[in-house]
């Protein structure tokens, strides 16, 4: 909406305040500034508010707004007076406004930093979280305009509004004055307010996906009159799956006399249906979709699955059609899967929904699947079906214009029917949010991801997502830091998913191998070593081994306390007549299942070669998981625990149990809602349960790789149970306010958006504010200046060239070390200038020598997609040529820092490799943590490189530092809740 001419350019319409939000019940609404064009909407909105709500707002009977009221509530300067409205279908359902006031409570302008705030929500929409969403957004607007506190007067009987303020998580004061409650809120975000905001976001987004996957009624718009076609296929699949709700066929071309089609009611439009439809599957040509969406919106449809193609995949015109589709659907409060989607599936017995083009609904299982590609979705459904695995839910998002992988994670976290979440992603629209959600979900159930488009640098059609400049290996490392199981192929994703969904997590990397083929056992042994596992020597049962021999051997291995997992290898065994028997895999499967059920709970995987029926028989085993304490479900009921547990002993905070183990609750996340606190974090797990289905693999490498992923995930779960800490460094070495003032000075009042590099002295001063000393260097434009610099610093010294093409290139002769006197320095200066060029080109400097040690490099940078990243490696070839660099997200914990220096392949060099003295790794960890804190405290620091950092047996020395400042990039993950715009 554009501003009216009477608004001054200085107070132009702030379109960046516009946002689509998900409300508590899963519906969407739009928040935007109120303008002078909203007079009629405001009057209509006020007429629909009850007398009681009006009384609570104005403290007196106030049946209608006067012309003066309407003018005052629609004319704002967007600085001292601001009004926001929540709209659905273009009509107001709630409003909020603030007026800046002074210490006496009278209207004021900046620098006054307090404002009076007031809300009004239509009675029909109270309880949907409208006021809570408005408070988040109006508080962000106020902070942007320099307002630090809100004041509000609330009648004591207005309990709902008092609760909105009380539960927001802000620091507040309350007093009772003149018959009303006076509230003052400090608008500075707190840990609690952020937790409240994210808890509400999680519940709302999970609910929005649940409304799509569990509708009470479905209409297929575009159902063909004759068999075939997309719409008719979806209708057939809905009926074949046994959908428990009501189904309707809709096509405006139906004959007026047509009452039913394939046994379901047939209608020409949604308006002819007597009840509200929850979900609409749209299968009409793209040019007819807007008409269908409008029909859905006007008749209260809650969500859409758009199968129609012809959008962003067709180019710029299609991208604009896609954006308009999203805008139109959200204006009615609807969420969209698609366009160009393959469909959705929910196998829950109470739903049995197959609103997709998949001809056969998958069996009911414990795996949730999200994919951005219809073709990949088809392949995954087929692969899981062949392996005998079932699904809990399936979403093929197509162009992913609205519902995304982040939404699916929000849903999977609480879904009682999902033990493992599998995601095929081609882009991360909000990487910081994805990392946060993945870490939270992975704490209670495995998250397995395949990332497509890893090297092409392209995004799915129509996706306005930030382009990452970091290598794919870095993205993988950051995902693993968040507990995500990152695999390279969809086959590996299925392999890992089957193991994690049916088996307990291993307590460690020790693997027992047994089977009736020595060669297959050796292949498995080698594969375990290659994956970093600790295999025991394979036990050969010989080709004459019977199923009973397998059962006895497996039972013995499971009972062995020195083994954490078992891999069984099997080839067709030899019968009494000497011939190979290939047909009776069911007998062997029963034997293996019996052994697994009777022994300690440890993961078991089977590698088989041409044993007919074995994989199917193993997959047919149903889980014997015992009941356990559940996280609270979306409807407030106890939710089922995800996955199977592990270990023979009860789960503890330090030992991983199965994928369904729950973590301690984050009670702060539930503040300010009517839902129980258990909706934010699952509770502690109950006793361990038995293994379920035993996965079978046609190759040793695939089984071992899946087991290795389970081992690494279990280790992450153990560590996540006791997370590391972000040090405060509250001592005289850290001067956060001083660093902030220095940064403001260096950037200036009108900073260049491209930023600016700091000089050596500026960088030293800034880093010094965080206790990171950088050894000084002095310029040496000629030999005399070099000698003077050395005299000032003291011998021995180093002579270095700092020209960009020679920086840190000792191999080219641009660095001379251990110059002990003036003669040595003059000789070195002459040799360097003779070899490499004139001093003006080389930019030589002199620096005092540091204690000998290992040269390392420490970096921190802000990536548009991933956020702030801390990196570490050895200086020179290991990091630059071989890419041996480790990465962690900022802010780094003490555990992250310790893992960072130990996770590079060249880490042994730091710990006394080949008899060398170990270096001071605690000092290195502290340096990493101080740099992480600097970048986290000051987002204007967009890149830092400390190179080299010489780590000696005692202490370390930073010899070089480059720092770049820029206006801080936007942090969408810290602002008020909003849906992304594509």
């Amino acid at each position: 909406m554009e501003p009216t001419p009477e608004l001054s350019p200085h107070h132009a319409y702030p379109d960046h305040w516009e946002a689509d939000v998900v409300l508590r019940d899963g519906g969407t609404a739009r928040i935007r500034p109120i303008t002078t064009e909203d007079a009629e909407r405001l009057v209509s909105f006020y007429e629909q508010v009850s007398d009681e709500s009006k009384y609570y707002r104005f403290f007196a009977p106030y049946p209608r707004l006067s012309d003066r009221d309407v003018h005052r509530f629609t004319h704002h300067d967007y600085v001292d007076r601001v009004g926001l409205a929540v709209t659905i279908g273009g009509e107001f359902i709630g409003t909020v406004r603030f007026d800046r006031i002074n210490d006496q409570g009278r209207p004021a302008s900046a620098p006054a930093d307090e404002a009076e705030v007031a809300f009004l929500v239509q009675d029909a929409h109270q309880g949907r979280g409208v006021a809570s969403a408005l408070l988040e957004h109006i508080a962000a607007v106020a902070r942007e305009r320099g307002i630090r506190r809100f004041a509000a007067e609330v009648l004591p009987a207005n309990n709902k509004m008092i609760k909105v303020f009380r539960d927001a998580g802000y620091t507040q004061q309350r007093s009772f004055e003149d018959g009303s409650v006076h509230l003052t809120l400090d608008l500075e975000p707190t840990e609690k307010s952020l937790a409240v905001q994210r808890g509400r976001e999680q519940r709302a987004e999970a609910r929005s996906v649940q409304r799509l996957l569990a509708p009470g009624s479905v209409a297929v718009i575009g159902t063909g009159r004759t068999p075939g076609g997309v719409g008719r296929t979806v209708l057939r699949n809905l009926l074949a799956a046994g959908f428990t709700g009501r189904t309707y066929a809709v096509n405006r071309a139906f004959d007026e006399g047509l009452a039913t089609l394939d046994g379901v009611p047939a209608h020409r439009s949604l308006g002819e249906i007597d009840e509200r439809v929850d979900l609409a599957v749209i299968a009409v040509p793209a040019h007819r979709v807007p008409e269908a969406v409008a029909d859905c919106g006007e008749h209260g449809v809650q969500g859409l699955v758009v199968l129609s193609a012809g959008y962003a995949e067709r180019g710029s015109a299609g991208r604009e059609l896609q954006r308009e589709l999203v805008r139109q659907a959200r204006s009615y409060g609807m969420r969209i899967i698609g366009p160009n989607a393959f469909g959705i599936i929910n196998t829950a017995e109470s739903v049995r929904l197959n609103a997709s083009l998949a001809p056969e609904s998958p069996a009911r299982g414990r795996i949730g699947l999200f994919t951005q590609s219809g073709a990949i979705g088809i392949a995954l459904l087929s692969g899981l079906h062949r392996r005998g695995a079932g699904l809990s839910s399936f979403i093929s998002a197509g162009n992913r214009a609205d519902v995304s992988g982040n939404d699916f994670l929000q849903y999977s976290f609480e879904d009682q029917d999902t033990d493992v979440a599998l995601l095929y992603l081609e882009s991360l629209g909000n990487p910081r949010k994805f990392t946060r959600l993945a870490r939270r979900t992975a704490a209670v159930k495995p998250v397995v991801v395949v990332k497509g488009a890893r090297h092409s640098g392209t995004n799915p059609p129509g996706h306005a997502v930030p382009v990452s400049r970091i290598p794919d290996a870095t993205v993988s490392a950051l995902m693993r830091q968040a507990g995500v199981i990152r695999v390279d192929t969809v086959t590996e994703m299925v392999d890992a998913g089957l193991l994690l969904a049916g088996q307990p997590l291993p307590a460690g990397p020790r693997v027992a191998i047994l089977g009736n083929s020595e060669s297959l056992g050796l292949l498995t042994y080698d594969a375990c070593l290659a994956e970093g596992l600790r295999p025991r020597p394979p036990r050969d049962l010989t080709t004459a081994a019977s199923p009973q021999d397998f059962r006895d051997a497996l039972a013995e291995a499971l009972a062995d306390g020195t083994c954490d997992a078992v891999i069984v290898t099997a080839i067709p065994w030899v019968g009494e007549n000497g011939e190979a028997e290939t047909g009776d895999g069911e007998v062997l499967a029963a034997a293996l299942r019996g052994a697994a059920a009777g022994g300690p709970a440890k993961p078991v995987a089977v590698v088989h070669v041409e044993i007919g029926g074995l994989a199917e028989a193993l997959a047919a085993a149903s889980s014997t998981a015992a009941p356990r304490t559940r996280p609270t479900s979306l409807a407030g009921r106890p939710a089922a625990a995800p996955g199977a547990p592990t270990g023979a002993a009860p789960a503890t905070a330090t030992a991983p149990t199965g994928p369904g183990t729950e973590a301690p609750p984050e009670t702060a996340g539930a503040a300010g809602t009517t839902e129980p606190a258990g909706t934010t974090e699952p509770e502690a797990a109950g006793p361990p349960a038995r293994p379920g289905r035993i996965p079978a693999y046609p190759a040793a490498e695939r089984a071992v790789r899946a087991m290795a992923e389970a081992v690494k995930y279990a280790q992450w779960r153990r560590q996540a149970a006791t997370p590391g800490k972000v040090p405060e460094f509250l001592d005289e070495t850290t001067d956060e306010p001083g660093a902030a003032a220095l940064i403001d000075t260096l950037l200036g009042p009108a900073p260049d958006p491209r930023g600016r590099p700091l000089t050596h002295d500026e960088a030293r001063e800034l880093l010094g504010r965080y206790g990171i000393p950088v050894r000084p260097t002095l310029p040496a434009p000629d030999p005399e200046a070099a000698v003077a610099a050395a005299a000032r610093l003291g011998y021995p010294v180093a002579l270095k060239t700092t020209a960009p093409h020679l920086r840190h290139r000792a191999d080219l002769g641009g660095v001379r070390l251990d110059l002990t006197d003036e003669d040595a320095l003059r000789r070195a200066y002459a040799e360097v200038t003779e070899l490499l060029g004139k001093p003006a080109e080389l930019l030589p400097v002199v620096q005092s020598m540091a204690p000998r040690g290992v040269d390392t490099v420490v970096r921190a940078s802000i990536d548009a997609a991933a956020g702030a990243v801390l990196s570490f490696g050895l200086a020179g070839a290991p990091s630059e040529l071989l890419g041996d660099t480790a990465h962690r997200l900022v802010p780094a914990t003490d555990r992250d820092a310790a893992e960072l220096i130990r996770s590079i392949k060249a880490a042994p060099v730091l710990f006394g490799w080949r008899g060398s003295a170990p270096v001071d790794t605690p000092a290195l960890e502290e340096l990493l943590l101080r740099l992480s804190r600097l970048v986290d405290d000051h987002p204007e620091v967009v890149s830092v490189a400390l190179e080299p950092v010489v780590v000696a047996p005692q202490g370390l020395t930073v010899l070089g530092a480059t720092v770049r400042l820029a206006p801080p990039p936007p942090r969408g993950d810290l602002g008020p809740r909003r849906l992304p715009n594509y």
Side-chain angles (χ1 to χ4, degrees), residues 395-428:
I395 294 178
S396 172
N399 291 4
R400 205 209 71 184
D402 182 20
V403 172
S404 68
N406 285 350
D407 296 301
F408 185 73
L409 282 177
Q410 299 278 42
Y411 170 78
S412 299
F413 173 76
E414 286 192 348
D415 181 36
Q416 58 184 330
D417 293 327
T418 298
D419 291 348
V420 181
L422 308 184
L423 296 92
Y424 171 78
L425 304 174
E426 293 176 349
S427 67
L428 300 176

Side-chain angles (χ1 to χ4, degrees), residues 36-312:
T36 56
E37 298 175 359
D38 289 321
E40 291 185 8
R41 293 185 183 89
L42 181 65
V43 171
S44 174
F45 158 73
Y46 194 77
E47 289 175 349
Q48 299 177 64
V49 175
S50 70
D51 291 339
E52 181 183 52
S53 294
K54 293 173 182 176
Y55 184 86
Y56 285 153
R57 169 64 177 84
F58 293 103
F59 292 19
Y62 215 89
R64 64 185 59 84
L65 295 176
S66 66
D67 292 342
R68 181 179 179 182
D69 292 329
V70 173
H71 183 276
R72 182 162 62 96
F73 293 152
T74 56
H75 287 69
H76 305 95
D77 62 9
Y78 303 124
V79 177
D80 300 324
R81 293 176 292 105
V82 173
L84 300 180
V86 181
T87 67
I88 294 179
E91 299 301 319
F92 287 6
I93 66 167
T95 63
V96 64
R97 62 177 283 112
F98 74 67
D99 293 89
R100 196 188 300 260
I101 57 176
N102 58 21
D103 294 340
Q104 289 75 43
R106 300 185 63 81
S109 299
D113 61 358
E114 186 170 337
E116 188 175 37
V117 66
F119 295 77
L120 186 61
V121 178
Q122 245 180 47
D123 295 68
H125 294 278
Q126 292 178 11
R128 300 185 65 197
V130 174
S132 299
L134 276 173
L135 179 57
E136 287 181 23
H137 283 262
I138 198 69
V141 168
R143 288 193 295 268
E144 180 182 326
R145 295 309 194 207
I147 293 172
R148 296 292 173 259
R149 291 180 306 281
F150 272 162
E153 299 290 335
V154 185
L155 288 174
N158 193 356
N159 293 318
K160 292 180 181 178
M161 200 65 243
I162 293 175
K163 180 175 173 58
V164 169
F165 288 120
R166 184 187 69 221
D167 294 344
Y170 295 114
T171 303
Q172 59 182 271
Q173 295 179 343
R174 284 193 291 175
S175 61
F176 189 78
E177 302 174 8
D178 299 327
S180 66
V181 178
H182 181 78
L183 294 164
T184 303
L185 275 74
D186 186 341
L187 299 183
E188 184 66 25
T190 66
E191 219 174 286
K192 183 178 179 181
S193 69
L194 187 59
V196 168
Q197 178 179 313
R198 289 177 172 174
R200 289 170 173 166
E201 171 194 67
Q202 190 274 324
R203 289 185 291 275
E205 293 179 357
R207 174 62 178 162
S208 73
V209 175
Q210 194 230 18
R211 296 205 314 179
L212 291 163
L213 286 172
S217 55
V218 177
V220 182
I221 301 176
T223 306
R225 289 169 290 180
T226 59
V230 173
R232 193 68 175 268
T233 299
V234 172
L235 180 63
R236 181 195 65 203
N237 294 341
L238 274 167
L239 298 175
F243 176 53
T244 59
R246 297 164 300 283
T247 306
Y248 302 95
V250 178
N251 190 330
R252 68 177 185 178
F254 282 160
D255 296 333
E256 292 187 9
L258 183 64
T260 62
L261 185 71
D262 290 343
V264 304
H267 300 278
R268 293 164 58 87
S269 70
L270 288 178
E272 296 179 2
I273 301 175
D274 294 334
E275 65 168 354
R276 188 184 73 177
V277 173
D278 295 330
L279 176 70
V281 181
I282 298 179
V284 300
H287 69 274
R288 285 182 48 204
V289 169
E291 176 188 348
V293 172
D295 193 22
C296 292
E298 290 166 4
H299 291 90
V301 173
Q302 295 181 346
L304 307 174
V305 177
V306 181
L307 308 181
S308 311
Y311 287 90

